[in-house]
Amino acid sequence: MPERDDQERTEDPTPKRRQEAREKGQIPKSREVASVALLFASCIYFLFLYKYTYQHLGETIVHFFRLIPNVKEMNIYAFTRALTTGMKELGMVLTPFLLLMVVVSLVANIGQVGFILTGEPLIPKLDKLNPISGIKNLFSKNSLVELVKGLLKIAIIGFVAYKVLKGDFAKIFALGLLPVSGLAGFILWAAFKVTMKIVMVFVILAILDYGYQKWENEQQLKMSVQEVKEELKQMEGDPQIKAKIKQLQREMAQRRMMEEVPKADVVITNPTELAIALRYDDAKMEAPTVVAKGAGFVAQRIKDIANKHGVPIVENKPLAQTLYKAVEIGDEIPEHLYKAVAEVLAYVYSLKNRERRKTA
């Protein structure tokens, strides 16, 4: 089927289309939301664990600065031991921070799209290796949007950092005069202030980006009228197949119906066009029940089976027409037909009794 232009895709995506896209990993997700969440979590982490971070980071910096003058005099074992000690101090700072980042990242992403596990995006696709397609992607709308977002973020970060640190330029130029522990404290506090301001601005950017990603995904999922018709056709099934299934169902129902005819007490006809088989078991039924009925060819088959198995056939045109129209297969006869049917059954039972006396 030829590809259609996006202008022709005017219909909202069906639930089936949305589900298929989700299974393929095509879901609206903003990376900016995760970025803002990580930045905000970083600020909260340092706000509450500032002293802990300051202490261990300061000790780590002091430890490594002390190593510098003695590196040439240290053997490999002493150097390894000193390096290991410093890395442990650094790990005391980074491990809880990195664990927090992993948890926040998972929550931020799952919160946007829910839990979904699919390997579809990891499957290699040959069209991605096509250089022509790659060049087209470089100048696509999505690439342009990502470029604008990247430049905007750089500009925001630079502007915010400048505004926040403008009053501290004197301290920054004098950092070389500070002790190592004071240097670590200033760096952490400056990073905290800059990050908090950036988070406030990036929250707005993340909301706008998520809205854009959702809109863009909706546009990609939109369908043409023909695609909607084809999907409905697939869901409902091909008309020819449905007709075949219905035919098989009718044949099976008719076969089951014909199997009930030998168990009937009587077959009432009109006499040529209609045939209705009745059965009555006073121990199980409140009234006689229609076990089979039919017109034309089906009626003739009912009569043939009845004759073959010795089921009495009674001609009663008005009763046959009423039963055929008013009672479905498996239903008991209505109360207003009790008398007419009772007379037929009484006649049939009298015939059976007479035959029994003859054979006795």
Side-chain angles (χ1 to χ4, degrees):
M1 183 178 296
E3 293 185 0
R4 302 174 179 83
D5 294 332
D6 287 343
Q7 293 179 350
E8 296 181 5
R9 298 180 184 273
T10 57
E11 304 303 309
D12 291 335
T14 61
K16 182 174 181 288
R17 173 79 166 228
R18 293 183 190 277
Q19 182 61 30
E20 289 176 348
R22 182 175 177 80
E23 290 172 356
K24 293 178 181 178
Q26 185 181 348
I27 41 183
K29 185 178 71 171
S30 172
R31 286 178 290 184
E32 307 307 324
V33 172
S35 299
V36 169
L38 290 172
L39 283 173
F40 182 72
S42 301
C43 293
I44 298 301
Y45 175 86
F46 287 115
L47 180 64
F48 287 98
L49 296 175
Y50 172 78
K51 291 183 179 180
Y52 171 84
T53 306
Y54 171 78
Q55 176 186 347
H56 286 279
L57 187 59
E59 291 175 0
T60 302
I61 293 175
V62 170
H63 178 80
F64 281 114
F65 268 95
R66 285 175 177 171
L67 284 179
I68 295 174
N70 304 317
V71 168
K72 291 183 179 180
E73 302 174 4
M74 297 174 66
N75 58 38
I76 187 64
Y77 300 104
F79 178 78
T80 302
R81 185 168 58 252
L83 186 62
T84 303
T85 302
M87 295 305 295
K88 284 182 179 179
E89 287 292 331
L90 188 61
M92 295 288 288
V93 177
L94 293 181
T95 300
F97 177 72
L98 292 176
L99 288 175
L100 176 65
M101 294 299 100
V102 170
V103 172
V104 171
S105 179
L106 288 174
V107 172
N109 285 283
I110 294 175
Q112 291 184 75
V113 302
F115 184 79
I116 177 172
L117 186 62
T118 175
E120 185 74 20
L122 302 178
I123 299 175
K125 296 180 180 178
L126 295 178
D127 57 343
K128 291 185 178 180
L129 303 177
N130 188 339
I132 298 177
S133 299
I135 294 173
K136 288 182 179 179
N137 290 333
L138 286 176
F139 299 98
S140 65
K141 181 177 67 174
N142 287 339
S143 298
L144 179 61
V145 170
E146 291 299 322
L147 176 62
V148 171
K149 279 167 43 181
L151 294 175
L152 182 61
K153 286 193 289 185
I154 293 173
I156 290 173
I157 292 172
F159 178 76
V160 171
Y162 171 77
K163 294 291 287 184
V164 173
L165 299 176
K166 184 171 63 173
D168 295 324
F169 280 166
K171 294 181 180 179
I172 293 174
F173 291 128
L175 285 178
L177 303 176
L178 293 176
V180 175
S181 58
L183 175 63
F186 179 82
I187 291 173
L188 285 174
W189 181 244
F192 175 78
K193 288 195 299 182
V194 172
T195 306
M196 278 302 294
K197 294 292 184 181
I198 290 173
V199 166
M200 294 177 186
V201 180
F202 273 25
V203 165
I204 300 173
L205 182 63
I207 293 172
L208 294 175
D209 184 63
Y210 181 74
Y212 170 77
Q213 296 296 337
K214 199 166 184 178
W215 175 83
E216 177 67 15
N217 186 70
E218 192 73 8
Q219 297 305 308
Q220 292 176 358
L221 291 179
K222 279 200 170 185
M223 307 168 69
S224 66
V225 175
Q226 184 61 31
E227 286 175 325
V228 174
K229 289 181 179 178
E230 289 175 358
E231 186 172 295
L232 289 174
K233 183 178 179 181
Q234 291 175 359
M235 292 176 64
E236 294 177 357
D238 188 278
Q240 293 181 348
I241 296 176
K242 287 179 67 178
K244 184 66 176 177
I245 292 173
K246 287 184 178 179
Q247 180 183 350
L248 291 173
Q249 289 174 339
R250 284 195 298 269
E251 290 177 356
M252 291 175 63
Q254 194 175 101
R255 192 179 303 116
R256 287 195 298 268
M257 180 183 73
M258 293 302 177
E259 291 173 354
E260 295 296 318
V261 173
K263 305 174 187 177
D265 292 309
V266 64
V267 173
I268 302 173
T269 66
N270 76 335
T272 56
E273 294 298 321
L274 301 176
I276 299 92
L278 297 176
R279 183 167 178 260
Y280 180 56
D281 184 346
D282 58 358
K284 299 179 181 179
M285 303 176 184
E286 295 183 2
T289 301
V290 174
V291 295
K293 72 174 186 177
F297 174 75
V298 177
Q300 186 59 49
R301 283 196 61 197
I302 292 174
K303 289 187 288 185
D304 291 343
I305 294 173
N307 283 323
K308 183 178 178 181
H309 292 85
V311 178
I313 298 176
V314 177
E315 179 183 336
N316 188 324
K317 187 174 181 179
L319 181 58
Q321 291 176 339
T322 304
L323 286 170
Y324 185 82
K325 294 177 182 178
V327 189
E328 296 298 326
I329 298 171
D331 292 345
E332 295 180 348
I333 64 171
E335 191 174 347
H336 68 275
L337 294 177
Y338 281 2
K339 183 178 179 182
V341 172
E343 292 175 354
V344 172
L345 289 175
Y347 170 71
V348 169
Y349 294 152
S350 66
L351 289 177
K352 288 182 178 180
N353 291 331
R354 196 178 305 164
E355 290 177 3
R356 287 189 192 130
R357 284 196 296 269
K358 287 181 180 179
T359 55

